[in-house]
Amino acid sequence: MAQEKEMSFLDHLEELRWHIIRSIIAIFSVAILVFTFIKVIFDEVLLAHLKPDFITYRFFCKAFTLIGIDSSFCNIDFSQELQVLNPTEELMTAIWSSLILGVILAFPYILWEIWRFIAPGLLESERKKSKGFIFSASSLFFSGILFSYYVILPMSVYFFYNFSIGDAIVKSFKLGAYISLITNTLIGVAIFFELPIIIYFLSKIGLVTPEFLKKYRKHALVVVLILSAIITPPDVASQIIVAVPIMFLYQVGIYISKYVIKKQQKNVEKSPRVQ
């Protein structure tokens, strides 16, 4: 412990470099494994939203049928095939998708490396209280992945395939553009779901307070709606579906900020005053 405290700035940079290197190795290792099974992953995961029997479409079909409403979710037909317009596009899309999935699947390990870097600078009591950091952050991250995969993405794919401004227009979607929609939505929503963790650390270092979060709640809603419009189809329903859980997490963040501030105030009151 004494050696850790006596580390110079350059020593810390060297330590950080190795944490980054190990994280990159983990990402590439997972990416290589994903690339090995890339055809199965594309057919069963990344392109699964093009299948009419995808679980979300079946759920919406049954739900609307149950309440007596005819729904187009019951007769989905994505007849247009994805196009590859240059010789390298398919390979580059496979490589890029493998790297993105590598980041997603290696996320808990990346968090662990971050934790290993910052833990030596924490007090023993702070380490014990923060042991759930990796689990909490990973749970929120993968909750965002699942929410975007089973809710946002099916609606996005359905919207873009069915939206039309004229009968003379024929849709011919590029493979790269379609996969970018999938991966960007997955990562974007997952980062959104990290909001309580971000608020916790910002409250810890004094950059935000519960009063600040309450004061700018309406501003935060506007920002969330704008960002939701970027990562979802341009319709109100999709934006609301994304905004509701994010604003719920924002409200959870307010309670977390309250807890952090109260805890810090108690610690200040308990600490002996210097005469």
Side-chain angles (χ1 to χ4, degrees), residues 121-134:
L122 301 177
L123 299 173
E124 188 62 32
S125 57
E126 291 176 326
R127 290 189 196 184
K128 290 180 180 179
K129 293 174 184 176
S130 304
K131 279 184 177 179
F133 162 71
I134 297 175

Side-chain angles (χ1 to χ4, degrees), residues 147-156 185 189 231-232 238 241-242:
F147 181 76
S148 60
Y149 187 81
Y150 286 105
V151 179
I152 302 302
L153 282 172
M155 294 185 63
S156 299
T185 303
V189 176
I231 64 174
T232 62
S238 298
I241 288 174
V242 174

Side-chain angles (χ1 to χ4, degrees), residues 125 129 204 257-273:
S125 57
K129 293 174 184 176
K204 197 78 173 173
S257 184
K258 280 183 181 179
Y259 171 79
V260 171
I261 299 300
K262 284 183 180 179
K263 204 71 175 175
Q264 289 177 338
Q265 290 174 346
K266 285 183 180 180
N267 291 336
V268 171
E269 292 172 359
K270 288 181 180 178
S271 61
R273 296 181 179 179

Side-chain angles (χ1 to χ4, degrees), residues 82-83 89 93 172-184:
L82 298 175
Q83 290 191 341
E89 183 177 358
T93 301
S172 297
F173 296 140
K174 289 176 61 179
L175 173 66
Y178 178 85
I179 295 301
S180 292
L181 170 68
I182 301 296
T183 55
N184 290 345

Side-chain angles (χ1 to χ4, degrees), residues 10 16 23 30 75 78 103 119 140 153 178 180 196 231 249 253 258:
L10 291 177
L16 176 60
S23 297
V30 176
N75 52 7
F78 299 128
V103 172
L140 288 170
L153 282 172
Y178 178 85
S180 292
I231 64 174
L249 292 172
K258 280 183 181 179

Side-chain angles (χ1 to χ4, degrees), residues 117-220:
F117 178 71
I118 64 175
L122 301 177
L123 299 173
E124 188 62 32
S125 57
E126 291 176 326
R127 290 189 196 184
K128 290 180 180 179
K129 293 174 184 176
S130 304
K131 279 184 177 179
F133 162 71
I134 297 175
F135 175 78
S136 301
S138 297
S139 297
L140 288 170
F141 183 83
F142 286 114
S143 295
I145 293 292
L146 292 174
F147 181 76
S148 60
Y149 187 81
Y150 286 105
V151 179
I152 302 302
L153 282 172
M155 294 185 63
S156 299
V157 173
Y158 177 82
F159 175 86
F160 287 121
Y161 263 89
N162 287 276
F163 179 78
S164 177
I165 57 175
D167 294 335
I169 298 173
V170 178
K171 293 182 176 65
S172 297
F173 296 140
K174 289 176 61 179
L175 173 66
Y178 178 85
I179 295 301
S180 292
L181 170 68
I182 301 296
T183 55
N184 290 345
T185 303
L186 288 174
I187 294 292
V189 176
I191 292 174
F192 266 145
F193 270 61
E194 293 295 318
L195 190 59
I197 300 295
I198 295 171
I199 290 176
Y200 172 84
F201 283 105
L202 292 178
S203 300
K204 197 78 173 173
I205 61 180
L207 287 181
V208 299
T209 63
E211 292 73 24
F212 175 87
L213 294 171
K214 288 178 182 177
K215 181 180 178 180
Y216 291 98
R217 182 159 33 199
K218 292 181 180 178
H219 300 78

